[in-house]
Amino acid sequence: MAGPRGEYRKSAERRAQILEAASTVFARTGYSASSVNEIARVVGISQTGVLHHFAGGKPALLQAVLEQRDARAEDRLSGRHGREFLAGLVAISRAQADQRGLVQLYRLLAAEATDPAHPAHEYFSTRFRRIADAVTQAYREVADAGGLRPGLDPRTAALRTLAMTEGLELLWLQGFEVDMAGDIADFLDAHLTDPLARG
Amino acid sequence: MAGPRGEYRKSAERRAQILEAASTVFARTGYSASSVNEIARVVGISQTGVLHHFAGGKPALLQAVLEQRDARAEDRLSGRHGREFLAGLVAISRAQADQRGLVQLYRLLAAEATDPAHPAHEYFSTRFRRIADAVTQAYREVADAGGLRPGLDPRTAALRTLAMTEGLELLWLQGFEVDMAGDIADFLDAHLTDPLARG
């Protein structure tokens, strides 16, 4: 029989399966048209089974899916500094191209959440500031190593980089022929004395 | 007594008043929390009076407000070519800074409308393509006059400019310290052999 540790592991695995299913269903169907029932069906368990792990229902599943997406993006950046960090932004953009439904969902929620009364306002606002600060820090490190083009301010460069990333994502969702990762790499290069290596 | 022409003019004036009020109320309160009743009160007429001019109610008012905003932006660009057109984009950005509520509303609808099932999908998608084509054309004119930096492609430059504009708007709505008009002017200048005049 599984002891307490075995139970814990089994529960964590089930939780991960549910999140994976929720991510697939949200990305395919959109948030409003999705149901906990459909997510349960993908996992092959009952709706009650899903609610056992996510008592908050669909909003809680969404929150967890978004946090997981963030955590994966942050993994790509963790321990990286300066130019390596900036190159990580390009890698994240490249990975986005396979997650259209999720990117769309994210974008919709981010737009809704610009309203300070929206429940996810604080989450998005904090997340945005954290990213902006991390990118600023990376540009500062590049500047300290003499790799930033003269006359550029790290904070301004960071906010413009963030704006470019967000804007390209939006155009891509609209169906425009943009190469998000390539365009961002070009944009970063315009700030650097030496171009980034292309992956 | 007013003849048919007088009646027509009176009706057009009333319509314009209602649109002005709808724009103010939407921008202040957001779309979902606004009511036709509140808009009627601002104009000083009854709800029935508003519905006489906009039989489709709140969605019809929203559609008309957005079309009016577009028409005003297009007025700023009409008859302009090449560098003058690009300078017009900066002027539009400058005007945005006074219309926070409306910009927020617009952004939310544009995000919702990336879903092809959304009633405004066609409107936003067409509008976006029209702007992209117009900006591409302007860069082409600049290139033909020898004013585009070597190695730049007008279409790529146009899509990146659009991405930058959209992204800066998003950051501004999030409360970041961006100077939309100034940042866009700098971005345009990076594509041009001679900088634009600053207004």
Side-chain angles (χ1 to χ4, degrees), chain A residues 30-64:
Chain A
Y31 178 68
S32 25
S34 303
S35 70
V36 172
N37 217 354
E38 191 185 352
I39 293 165
R41 218 165 30 233
V42 170
V43 186
I45 62 177
S46 69
Q47 187 169 335
T48 313
V50 172
L51 294 175
H52 171 68
H53 291 271
F54 294 92
K58 211 168 70 154
L61 283 164
L62 176 62
Q63 175 84 9

PDB file of all heavy atoms in Angstrom, chain A residues 30-64:
ATOM      1  N   GLY A  30     -11.221  28.187 -25.697  1.00  0.00           N
ATOM      2  CA  GLY A  30     -11.356  29.498 -25.051  1.00  0.00           C
ATOM      3  C   GLY A  30     -11.877  29.308 -23.637  1.00  0.00           C
ATOM      4  O   GLY A  30     -12.448  28.267 -23.327  1.00  0.00           O
ATOM      5  N   TYR A  31     -11.690  30.325 -22.812  1.00  0.00           N
ATOM      6  CA  TYR A  31     -12.059  30.174 -21.401  1.00  0.00           C
ATOM      7  C   TYR A  31     -13.566  30.075 -21.192  1.00  0.00           C
ATOM      8  O   TYR A  31     -14.052  29.153 -20.558  1.00  0.00           O
ATOM      9  CB  TYR A  31     -11.490  31.336 -20.582  1.00  0.00           C
ATOM     10  CG  TYR A  31     -11.857  31.285 -19.124  1.00  0.00           C
ATOM     11  CD1 TYR A  31     -11.346  30.291 -18.312  1.00  0.00           C
ATOM     12  CD2 TYR A  31     -12.732  32.216 -18.574  1.00  0.00           C
ATOM     13  CE1 TYR A  31     -11.689  30.220 -16.967  1.00  0.00           C
ATOM     14  CE2 TYR A  31     -13.069  32.162 -17.243  1.00  0.00           C
ATOM     15  CZ  TYR A  31     -12.540  31.161 -16.435  1.00  0.00           C
ATOM     16  OH  TYR A  31     -12.892  31.110 -15.111  1.00  0.00           O
ATOM     17  N   SER A  32     -14.332  31.020 -21.746  1.00  0.00           N
ATOM     18  CA  SER A  32     -15.768  31.059 -21.416  1.00  0.00           C
ATOM     19  C   SER A  32     -16.505  29.823 -21.907  1.00  0.00           C
ATOM     20  O   SER A  32     -17.417  29.341 -21.230  1.00  0.00           O
ATOM     21  CB  SER A  32     -16.435  32.339 -21.933  1.00  0.00           C
ATOM     22  OG  SER A  32     -15.748  32.879 -23.019  1.00  0.00           O
ATOM     23  N   ALA A  33     -16.119  29.299 -23.073  1.00  0.00           N
ATOM     24  CA  ALA A  33     -16.838  28.146 -23.623  1.00  0.00           C
ATOM     25  C   ALA A  33     -16.368  26.825 -23.013  1.00  0.00           C
ATOM     26  O   ALA A  33     -16.976  25.778 -23.251  1.00  0.00           O
ATOM     27  CB  ALA A  33     -16.681  28.117 -25.144  1.00  0.00           C
ATOM     28  N   SER A  34     -15.303  26.846 -22.212  1.00  0.00           N
ATOM     29  CA  SER A  34     -14.813  25.599 -21.601  1.00  0.00           C
ATOM     30  C   SER A  34     -15.616  25.258 -20.348  1.00  0.00           C
ATOM     31  O   SER A  34     -16.207  26.131 -19.729  1.00  0.00           O
ATOM     32  CB  SER A  34     -13.347  25.744 -21.190  1.00  0.00           C
ATOM     33  OG  SER A  34     -12.554  26.097 -22.284  1.00  0.00           O
ATOM     34  N   SER A  35     -15.626  23.959 -19.966  1.00  0.00           N
ATOM     35  CA  SER A  35     -16.302  23.557 -18.732  1.00  0.00           C
ATOM     36  C   SER A  35     -15.403  22.604 -17.953  1.00  0.00           C
ATOM     37  O   SER A  35     -14.561  21.901 -18.528  1.00  0.00           O
ATOM     38  CB  SER A  35     -17.622  22.875 -19.044  1.00  0.00           C
ATOM     39  OG  SER A  35     -17.381  21.608 -19.631  1.00  0.00           O
ATOM     40  N   VAL A  36     -15.586  22.597 -16.641  1.00  0.00           N
ATOM     41  CA  VAL A  36     -14.849  21.678 -15.766  1.00  0.00           C
ATOM     42  C   VAL A  36     -15.142  20.239 -16.198  1.00  0.00           C
ATOM     43  O   VAL A  36     -14.261  19.374 -16.204  1.00  0.00           O
ATOM     44  CB  VAL A  36     -15.247  21.905 -14.292  1.00  0.00           C
ATOM     45  CG1 VAL A  36     -14.644  20.836 -13.396  1.00  0.00           C
ATOM     46  CG2 VAL A  36     -14.798  23.288 -13.834  1.00  0.00           C
ATOM     47  N   ASN A  37     -16.377  20.007 -16.605  1.00  0.00           N
ATOM     48  CA  ASN A  37     -16.801  18.688 -17.072  1.00  0.00           C
ATOM     49  C   ASN A  37     -15.938  18.195 -18.241  1.00  0.00           C
ATOM     50  O   ASN A  37     -15.501  17.045 -18.264  1.00  0.00           O
ATOM     51  CB  ASN A  37     -18.258  18.798 -17.521  1.00  0.00           C
ATOM     52  CG  ASN A  37     -19.024  17.534 -17.172  1.00  0.00           C
ATOM     53  OD1 ASN A  37     -18.426  16.565 -16.705  1.00  0.00           O
ATOM     54  ND2 ASN A  37     -20.313  17.548 -17.409  1.00  0.00           N
ATOM     55  N   GLU A  38     -15.715  19.086 -19.196  1.00  0.00           N
ATOM     56  CA  GLU A  38     -14.924  18.721 -20.371  1.00  0.00           C
ATOM     57  C   GLU A  38     -13.477  18.407 -19.962  1.00  0.00           C
ATOM     58  O   GLU A  38     -12.864  17.463 -20.469  1.00  0.00           O
ATOM     59  CB  GLU A  38     -14.946  19.911 -21.346  1.00  0.00           C
ATOM     60  CG  GLU A  38     -14.384  19.602 -22.726  1.00  0.00           C
ATOM     61  CD  GLU A  38     -14.342  20.859 -23.583  1.00  0.00           C
ATOM     62  OE1 GLU A  38     -14.882  21.901 -23.143  1.00  0.00           O
ATOM     63  OE2 GLU A  38     -13.759  20.792 -24.686  1.00  0.00           O
ATOM     64  N   ILE A  39     -12.952  19.204 -19.047  1.00  0.00           N
ATOM     65  CA  ILE A  39     -11.585  18.986 -18.567  1.00  0.00           C
ATOM     66  C   ILE A  39     -11.500  17.629 -17.853  1.00  0.00           C
ATOM     67  O   ILE A  39     -10.570  16.851 -18.071  1.00  0.00           O
ATOM     68  CB  ILE A  39     -11.152  20.145 -17.642  1.00  0.00           C
ATOM     69  CG1 ILE A  39     -11.027  21.440 -18.468  1.00  0.00           C
ATOM     70  CG2 ILE A  39      -9.833  19.834 -16.935  1.00  0.00           C
ATOM     71  CD1 ILE A  39     -10.969  22.713 -17.648  1.00  0.00           C
ATOM     72  N   ALA A  40     -12.515  17.342 -17.037  1.00  0.00           N
ATOM     73  CA  ALA A  40     -12.571  16.053 -16.327  1.00  0.00           C
ATOM     74  C   ALA A  40     -12.580  14.898 -17.331  1.00  0.00           C
ATOM     75  O   ALA A  40     -11.876  13.901 -17.154  1.00  0.00           O
ATOM     76  CB  ALA A  40     -13.816  16.004 -15.449  1.00  0.00           C
ATOM     77  N   ARG A  41     -13.341  15.053 -18.399  1.00  0.00           N
ATOM     78  CA  ARG A  41     -13.447  14.005 -19.413  1.00  0.00           C
ATOM     79  C   ARG A  41     -12.090  13.739 -20.069  1.00  0.00           C
ATOM     80  O   ARG A  41     -11.738  12.579 -20.327  1.00  0.00           O
ATOM     81  CB  ARG A  41     -14.482  14.410 -20.478  1.00  0.00           C
ATOM     82  CG  ARG A  41     -15.306  13.241 -20.965  1.00  0.00           C
ATOM     83  CD  ARG A  41     -16.557  13.662 -21.738  1.00  0.00           C
ATOM     84  NE  ARG A  41     -16.433  14.911 -22.439  1.00  0.00           N
ATOM     85  CZ  ARG A  41     -17.295  15.923 -22.313  1.00  0.00           C
ATOM     86  NH1 ARG A  41     -18.332  15.815 -21.494  1.00  0.00           N
ATOM     87  NH2 ARG A  41     -17.129  17.024 -22.995  1.00  0.00           N
ATOM     88  N   VAL A  42     -11.336  14.808 -20.343  1.00  0.00           N
ATOM     89  CA  VAL A  42     -10.011  14.626 -20.957  1.00  0.00           C
ATOM     90  C   VAL A  42      -9.084  13.825 -20.030  1.00  0.00           C
ATOM     91  O   VAL A  42      -8.332  12.951 -20.473  1.00  0.00           O
ATOM     92  CB  VAL A  42      -9.375  15.997 -21.315  1.00  0.00           C
ATOM     93  CG1 VAL A  42      -7.922  15.841 -21.732  1.00  0.00           C
ATOM     94  CG2 VAL A  42     -10.160  16.681 -22.430  1.00  0.00           C
ATOM     95  N   VAL A  43      -9.162  14.117 -18.720  1.00  0.00           N
ATOM     96  CA  VAL A  43      -8.321  13.383 -17.756  1.00  0.00           C
ATOM     97  C   VAL A  43      -8.845  11.964 -17.573  1.00  0.00           C
ATOM     98  O   VAL A  43      -8.093  11.041 -17.238  1.00  0.00           O
ATOM     99  CB  VAL A  43      -8.286  14.113 -16.390  1.00  0.00           C
ATOM    100  CG1 VAL A  43      -7.309  13.436 -15.437  1.00  0.00           C
ATOM    101  CG2 VAL A  43      -7.904  15.565 -16.573  1.00  0.00           C
ATOM    102  N   GLY A  44     -10.160  11.776 -17.781  1.00  0.00           N
ATOM    103  CA  GLY A  44     -10.780  10.474 -17.559  1.00  0.00           C
ATOM    104  C   GLY A  44     -11.231  10.282 -16.116  1.00  0.00           C
ATOM    105  O   GLY A  44     -11.233   9.172 -15.592  1.00  0.00           O
ATOM    106  N   ILE A  45     -11.576  11.381 -15.448  1.00  0.00           N
ATOM    107  CA  ILE A  45     -12.101  11.301 -14.076  1.00  0.00           C
ATOM    108  C   ILE A  45     -13.420  12.081 -14.011  1.00  0.00           C
ATOM    109  O   ILE A  45     -13.847  12.655 -15.019  1.00  0.00           O
ATOM    110  CB  ILE A  45     -11.103  11.877 -13.030  1.00  0.00           C
ATOM    111  CG1 ILE A  45     -10.839  13.378 -13.306  1.00  0.00           C
ATOM    112  CG2 ILE A  45      -9.789  11.090 -13.063  1.00  0.00           C
ATOM    113  CD1 ILE A  45      -9.922  14.036 -12.274  1.00  0.00           C
ATOM    114  N   SER A  46     -14.039  12.076 -12.837  1.00  0.00           N
ATOM    115  CA  SER A  46     -15.321  12.778 -12.685  1.00  0.00           C
ATOM    116  C   SER A  46     -15.082  14.257 -12.402  1.00  0.00           C
ATOM    117  O   SER A  46     -13.975  14.663 -12.033  1.00  0.00           O
ATOM    118  CB  SER A  46     -16.098  12.177 -11.522  1.00  0.00           C
ATOM    119  OG  SER A  46     -15.443  12.507 -10.308  1.00  0.00           O
ATOM    120  N   GLN A  47     -16.140  15.046 -12.585  1.00  0.00           N
ATOM    121  CA  GLN A  47     -16.067  16.472 -12.271  1.00  0.00           C
ATOM    122  C   GLN A  47     -15.714  16.673 -10.792  1.00  0.00           C
ATOM    123  O   GLN A  47     -14.913  17.547 -10.456  1.00  0.00           O
ATOM    124  CB  GLN A  47     -17.430  17.109 -12.597  1.00  0.00           C
ATOM    125  CG  GLN A  47     -17.431  18.612 -12.467  1.00  0.00           C
ATOM    126  CD  GLN A  47     -18.703  19.238 -13.054  1.00  0.00           C
ATOM    127  OE1 GLN A  47     -19.334  18.653 -13.936  1.00  0.00           O
ATOM    128  NE2 GLN A  47     -19.055  20.402 -12.582  1.00  0.00           N
ATOM    129  N   THR A  48     -16.295  15.822  -9.939  1.00  0.00           N
ATOM    130  CA  THR A  48     -15.990  15.878  -8.498  1.00  0.00           C
ATOM    131  C   THR A  48     -14.502  15.638  -8.259  1.00  0.00           C
ATOM    132  O   THR A  48     -13.887  16.276  -7.394  1.00  0.00           O
ATOM    133  CB  THR A  48     -16.807  14.810  -7.735  1.00  0.00           C
ATOM    134  OG1 THR A  48     -18.165  14.887  -8.173  1.00  0.00           O
ATOM    135  CG2 THR A  48     -16.733  15.022  -6.246  1.00  0.00           C
ATOM    136  N   GLY A  49     -13.935  14.735  -9.047  1.00  0.00           N
ATOM    137  CA  GLY A  49     -12.498  14.455  -8.950  1.00  0.00           C
ATOM    138  C   GLY A  49     -11.674  15.699  -9.224  1.00  0.00           C
ATOM    139  O   GLY A  49     -10.680  15.979  -8.533  1.00  0.00           O
ATOM    140  N   VAL A  50     -12.061  16.476 -10.251  1.00  0.00           N
ATOM    141  CA  VAL A  50     -11.344  17.714 -10.568  1.00  0.00           C
ATOM    142  C   VAL A  50     -11.495  18.715  -9.418  1.00  0.00           C
ATOM    143  O   VAL A  50     -10.516  19.327  -8.973  1.00  0.00           O
ATOM    144  CB  VAL A  50     -11.862  18.340 -11.885  1.00  0.00           C
ATOM    145  CG1 VAL A  50     -11.258  19.722 -12.092  1.00  0.00           C
ATOM    146  CG2 VAL A  50     -11.542  17.439 -13.068  1.00  0.00           C
ATOM    147  N   LEU A  51     -12.735  18.839  -8.920  1.00  0.00           N
ATOM    148  CA  LEU A  51     -13.002  19.839  -7.876  1.00  0.00           C
ATOM    149  C   LEU A  51     -12.326  19.467  -6.558  1.00  0.00           C
ATOM    150  O   LEU A  51     -12.079  20.337  -5.717  1.00  0.00           O
ATOM    151  CB  LEU A  51     -14.516  20.019  -7.691  1.00  0.00           C
ATOM    152  CG  LEU A  51     -15.216  20.626  -8.918  1.00  0.00           C
ATOM    153  CD1 LEU A  51     -16.720  20.668  -8.720  1.00  0.00           C
ATOM    154  CD2 LEU A  51     -14.673  22.022  -9.230  1.00  0.00           C
ATOM    155  N   HIS A  52     -12.015  18.194  -6.385  1.00  0.00           N
ATOM    156  CA  HIS A  52     -11.252  17.771  -5.206  1.00  0.00           C
ATOM    157  C   HIS A  52      -9.869  18.449  -5.213  1.00  0.00           C
ATOM    158  O   HIS A  52      -9.366  18.862  -4.159  1.00  0.00           O
ATOM    159  CB  HIS A  52     -11.105  16.251  -5.213  1.00  0.00           C
ATOM    160  CG  HIS A  52     -10.171  15.734  -4.172  1.00  0.00           C
ATOM    161  ND1 HIS A  52     -10.446  15.789  -2.823  1.00  0.00           N
ATOM    162  CD2 HIS A  52      -8.935  15.173  -4.277  1.00  0.00           C
ATOM    163  CE1 HIS A  52      -9.435  15.286  -2.141  1.00  0.00           C
ATOM    164  NE2 HIS A  52      -8.498  14.894  -3.003  1.00  0.00           N
ATOM    165  N   HIS A  53      -9.275  18.567  -6.414  1.00  0.00           N
ATOM    166  CA  HIS A  53      -7.945  19.184  -6.518  1.00  0.00           C
ATOM    167  C   HIS A  53      -8.003  20.703  -6.698  1.00  0.00           C
ATOM    168  O   HIS A  53      -7.083  21.410  -6.300  1.00  0.00           O
ATOM    169  CB  HIS A  53      -7.166  18.562  -7.687  1.00  0.00           C
ATOM    170  CG  HIS A  53      -6.777  17.142  -7.434  1.00  0.00           C
ATOM    171  ND1 HIS A  53      -5.606  16.794  -6.829  1.00  0.00           N
ATOM    172  CD2 HIS A  53      -7.429  15.969  -7.671  1.00  0.00           C
ATOM    173  CE1 HIS A  53      -5.531  15.485  -6.714  1.00  0.00           C
ATOM    174  NE2 HIS A  53      -6.626  14.957  -7.221  1.00  0.00           N
ATOM    175  N   PHE A  54      -9.065  21.173  -7.342  1.00  0.00           N
ATOM    176  CA  PHE A  54      -9.207  22.615  -7.576  1.00  0.00           C
ATOM    177  C   PHE A  54     -10.589  23.046  -7.111  1.00  0.00           C
ATOM    178  O   PHE A  54     -11.522  23.165  -7.912  1.00  0.00           O
ATOM    179  CB  PHE A  54      -8.995  22.947  -9.057  1.00  0.00           C
ATOM    180  CG  PHE A  54      -7.592  22.678  -9.519  1.00  0.00           C
ATOM    181  CD1 PHE A  54      -7.248  21.448 -10.062  1.00  0.00           C
ATOM    182  CD2 PHE A  54      -6.607  23.644  -9.379  1.00  0.00           C
ATOM    183  CE1 PHE A  54      -5.946  21.191 -10.454  1.00  0.00           C
ATOM    184  CE2 PHE A  54      -5.302  23.393  -9.774  1.00  0.00           C
ATOM    185  CZ  PHE A  54      -4.975  22.162 -10.314  1.00  0.00           C
ATOM    186  N   ALA A  55     -10.702  23.270  -5.807  1.00  0.00           N
ATOM    187  CA  ALA A  55     -12.004  23.549  -5.197  1.00  0.00           C
ATOM    188  C   ALA A  55     -12.610  24.827  -5.784  1.00  0.00           C
ATOM    189  O   ALA A  55     -13.827  24.989  -5.812  1.00  0.00           O
ATOM    190  CB  ALA A  55     -11.856  23.669  -3.687  1.00  0.00           C
ATOM    191  N   GLY A  56     -11.775  25.737  -6.276  1.00  0.00           N
ATOM    192  CA  GLY A  56     -12.269  27.004  -6.821  1.00  0.00           C
ATOM    193  C   GLY A  56     -12.837  26.879  -8.219  1.00  0.00           C
ATOM    194  O   GLY A  56     -13.229  27.883  -8.814  1.00  0.00           O
ATOM    195  N   GLY A  57     -12.855  25.648  -8.762  1.00  0.00           N
ATOM    196  CA  GLY A  57     -13.464  25.433 -10.082  1.00  0.00           C
ATOM    197  C   GLY A  57     -12.681  26.055 -11.218  1.00  0.00           C
ATOM    198  O   GLY A  57     -11.451  26.169 -11.168  1.00  0.00           O
ATOM    199  N   LYS A  58     -13.404  26.494 -12.255  1.00  0.00           N
ATOM    200  CA  LYS A  58     -12.782  26.972 -13.490  1.00  0.00           C
ATOM    201  C   LYS A  58     -11.834  28.158 -13.266  1.00  0.00           C
ATOM    202  O   LYS A  58     -10.714  28.146 -13.801  1.00  0.00           O
ATOM    203  CB  LYS A  58     -13.874  27.308 -14.512  1.00  0.00           C
ATOM    204  CG  LYS A  58     -13.427  27.096 -15.947  1.00  0.00           C
ATOM    205  CD  LYS A  58     -14.595  27.153 -16.942  1.00  0.00           C
ATOM    206  CE  LYS A  58     -15.147  28.537 -17.075  1.00  0.00           C
ATOM    207  NZ  LYS A  58     -15.812  28.777 -18.383  1.00  0.00           N
ATOM    208  N   PRO A  59     -12.238  29.188 -12.457  1.00  0.00           N
ATOM    209  CA  PRO A  59     -11.298  30.295 -12.236  1.00  0.00           C
ATOM    210  C   PRO A  59      -9.988  29.825 -11.589  1.00  0.00           C
ATOM    211  O   PRO A  59      -8.903  30.307 -11.938  1.00  0.00           O
ATOM    212  CB  PRO A  59     -12.061  31.233 -11.288  1.00  0.00           C
ATOM    213  CG  PRO A  59     -13.494  30.878 -11.449  1.00  0.00           C
ATOM    214  CD  PRO A  59     -13.551  29.428 -11.817  1.00  0.00           C
ATOM    215  N   ALA A  60     -10.087  28.878 -10.659  1.00  0.00           N
ATOM    216  CA  ALA A  60      -8.881  28.371  -9.991  1.00  0.00           C
ATOM    217  C   ALA A  60      -8.000  27.617 -10.983  1.00  0.00           C
ATOM    218  O   ALA A  60      -6.767  27.710 -10.937  1.00  0.00           O
ATOM    219  CB  ALA A  60      -9.276  27.462  -8.836  1.00  0.00           C
ATOM    220  N   LEU A  61      -8.630  26.873 -11.901  1.00  0.00           N
ATOM    221  CA  LEU A  61      -7.875  26.150 -12.925  1.00  0.00           C
ATOM    222  C   LEU A  61      -7.144  27.137 -13.829  1.00  0.00           C
ATOM    223  O   LEU A  61      -5.973  26.948 -14.169  1.00  0.00           O
ATOM    224  CB  LEU A  61      -8.818  25.279 -13.758  1.00  0.00           C
ATOM    225  CG  LEU A  61      -9.269  23.982 -13.084  1.00  0.00           C
ATOM    226  CD1 LEU A  61     -10.473  23.388 -13.793  1.00  0.00           C
ATOM    227  CD2 LEU A  61      -8.117  22.980 -13.069  1.00  0.00           C
ATOM    228  N   LEU A  62      -7.852  28.192 -14.201  1.00  0.00           N
ATOM    229  CA  LEU A  62      -7.244  29.199 -15.064  1.00  0.00           C
ATOM    230  C   LEU A  62      -6.032  29.830 -14.386  1.00  0.00           C
ATOM    231  O   LEU A  62      -4.954  29.946 -14.972  1.00  0.00           O
ATOM    232  CB  LEU A  62      -8.279  30.275 -15.405  1.00  0.00           C
ATOM    233  CG  LEU A  62      -7.719  31.431 -16.217  1.00  0.00           C
ATOM    234  CD1 LEU A  62      -7.210  30.956 -17.561  1.00  0.00           C
ATOM    235  CD2 LEU A  62      -8.793  32.503 -16.405  1.00  0.00           C
ATOM    236  N   GLN A  63      -6.230  30.236 -13.138  1.00  0.00           N
ATOM    237  CA  GLN A  63      -5.141  30.845 -12.366  1.00  0.00           C
ATOM    238  C   GLN A  63      -3.926  29.909 -12.347  1.00  0.00           C
ATOM    239  O   GLN A  63      -2.790  30.345 -12.589  1.00  0.00           O
ATOM    240  CB  GLN A  63      -5.652  31.115 -10.933  1.00  0.00           C
ATOM    241  CG  GLN A  63      -4.609  31.648  -9.964  1.00  0.00           C
ATOM    242  CD  GLN A  63      -4.459  33.156 -10.074  1.00  0.00           C
ATOM    243  OE1 GLN A  63      -5.242  33.821 -10.754  1.00  0.00           O
ATOM    244  NE2 GLN A  63      -3.446  33.709  -9.418  1.00  0.00           N
ATOM    245  N   ALA A  64      -4.168  28.628 -12.103  1.00  0.00           N
ATOM    246  CA  ALA A  64      -3.068  27.654 -12.014  1.00  0.00           C
ATOM    247  C   ALA A  64      -2.383  27.469 -13.368  1.00  0.00           C
ATOM    248  O   ALA A  64      -1.162  27.339 -13.443  1.00  0.00           O
ATOM    249  CB  ALA A  64      -3.595  26.325 -11.490  1.00  0.00           C
TER     250      ALA A  64
END
